[in-house]
Amino acid sequence: NKEQHPICKGITSFKINEEEFNVNLPENSEILFVDDSNLPTGWYRKYINGDIFCFKLGHYKEIIKDSNFIKVLNNTINWFTKL
């Protein structure tokens, strides 16, 4: 369940003006975030003995002021470092 993933902890629905592009997700990816068109904007997957998280947001400097964007980055760092 994506709402229970540690990267999603404390994140509320949010909208950001962002440059979108389409991607082909790798096999076994779990989508954590989608845009208004239901296209994936954040996903993770297992790879060998590790984890990979991809996040399409962050092209415009205004995004760093968004509290949910900052929370996603912090949650990701905490998840990867097991904090």
Side-chain angles (χ1 to χ4, degrees), residues 4-80:
Q4 294 177 347
H5 193 279
I7 291 176
C8 300
K9 183 180 178 181
I11 306 296
T12 58
S13 179
F14 63 103
K15 293 185 181 231
I16 293 176
N17 180 26
E18 183 61 272
E19 177 182 36
E20 280 292 331
F21 55 94
N22 205 0
V23 296
N24 293 319
L25 295 182
E27 211 174 297
N28 300 321
S29 295
E30 183 171 336
I31 298 170
L32 299 179
F33 302 101
V34 296
D35 65 11
D36 287 341
S37 302
N38 212 33
L39 293 173
T41 56
W43 61 93
Y44 85 96
R45 62 175 282 214
K46 297 281 186 190
Y47 183 73
I48 305 175
N49 293 324
D51 299 298
I52 297 172
F53 175 65
C54 297
F55 198 44
K56 291 184 354 180
L57 304 181
H59 291 98
Y60 301 119
K61 64 182 177 182
E62 294 80 16
I63 196 170
I64 63 170
K65 298 175 187 172
D66 185 274
S67 62
N68 280 302
F69 179 79
I70 294 167
K71 198 174 289 187
V72 168
L73 296 181
N74 285 331
N75 288 352
T76 302
I77 292 166
N78 290 336
W79 180 56
F80 279 131

